[in-house]
Amino acid sequence: MAIINNLKKINSDIERVAESCGRDPKSISLLAVSKTKPIEMLLEAYKGGQRIFGENRVQEGEAKRPLLPADAKLHMIGHLQSNKVSKACHYFDCIQSVDSLKIARKINNKCSELDKVMDIFIDINISGESSKTGYCLGVDIIDEIKEISSMDNLNLLGLMAIGPNTGDRDLIKRKFKELRNFMILINKQTSLNLTELSIGMSGDYKEAIEAGSTMIRVGSSIFGTRG
Ligand SMILES: *Cc1c(COP(=O)(O)O)cnc(C)c1O
């Protein structure tokens, strides 16, 4: 029951925060981050209406995918190693953590073999924290993003980022807005029409929605803290 109540609370937060800043709540989706959590908890969330789940390890996605109902979607949100690309392409519906041309090429080649088009996001490091993966935000990466977007078996939807690790709410919101402005700049400088911003976790999804998030990735506020 706790999981279903947590989902209700977050979905009502999405509505409330979206309306408070003049956004359509339906333009924001909720990804339930189920890493380290047993399948029973995902199925409980599914019963509560949740359909998109996120994992940060390929092996965990591989184990859980066959146990999830067919209409549940699984997103890869953790750094992807080259030797795991093949499995990731099999078991995930979207890879949000594309952080190099090399990994994009590998996903594209594998999906070509599988006759599949993979939804992807580009992982951007907006905090400057070296512990985080992703491209450093800057105009110099636009050409590479354009090249990735041109690959036949990839469908580039937008950008993904993790907020800075700080209690400074204004700084968090400012960094999220920088990412949104960067997406607008990419669209202006290229013929791309990126629309998705995967930003906001348990601790900062309100700031993310205010800054333009279209997908929040929430783990501990749904499933409880991880051990
Ligand atoms: C773990 C994780 C989340 C969810 O974090 P919570 O603080 O538990 O909501 C979101 N995004 C990524 C990339 C993660 O690794």
Side-chain angles (χ1 to χ4, degrees), residues 124 126-127 137 159-164 169-183 197-201 203-213 216-217:
I124 307 277
I126 55 173
S127 66
L137 193 157
L159 309 177
M160 187 269 262
I162 296 177
R169 320 308 300 177
D170 291 334
L171 176 62
I172 294 170
K173 198 166 152 184
R174 212 158 57 235
K175 288 290 173 187
F176 283 153
K177 279 187 176 165
E178 273 176 30
L179 186 72
R180 178 162 183 272
N181 288 335
F182 184 56
M183 186 167 80
L197 274 182
S198 172
I199 46 174
M201 317 198 324
D204 55 18
Y205 64 80
K206 293 181 183 112
E207 287 76 13
I209 293 168
E210 288 169 359
S213 176
I216 61 172
R217 308 181 309 269

Side-chain angles (χ1 to χ4, degrees), residues 31-35 54-56 76-79 96-97 123 160-162 198 200-205 216-222 224-226:
L31 178 148
V33 178
S34 46
K35 61 189 185 195
E55 294 287 340
N56 68 339
M76 173 64 181
I77 60 170
H79 173 69
Q96 295 204 6
S97 44
D123 178 6
M160 187 269 262
I162 296 177
S198 172
M201 317 198 324
S202 292
D204 55 18
Y205 64 80
I216 61 172
R217 308 181 309 269
V218 180
S220 49
S221 291
I222 298 172
T225 52
R226 292 174 295 271

Side-chain angles (χ1 to χ4, degrees), residues 40-51:
E40 290 74 21
M41 294 180 88
L42 284 72
L43 295 175
E44 182 73 16
Y46 181 90
K47 258 198 256 167
Q50 184 61 33
R51 291 294 178 274

Side-chain angles (χ1 to χ4, degrees), residues 101 138-149 189-190:
L101 199 53
V139 287
D140 53 313
I141 67 170
I142 294 180
D143 283 343
E144 211 159 302
I145 292 176
K146 208 174 160 185
E147 186 170 346
I148 292 172
S149 73
Q189 290 201 358
T190 65

Side-chain angles (χ1 to χ4, degrees), residues 14 16 21 69 75 78 110 117 133 152 162-163 171 186 211:
I14 292 175
R16 187 174 48 78
C21 56
H75 288 210
K110 185 66 201 177
V117 175
T133 56
D152 286 341
I162 296 177
L171 176 62
I186 295 171

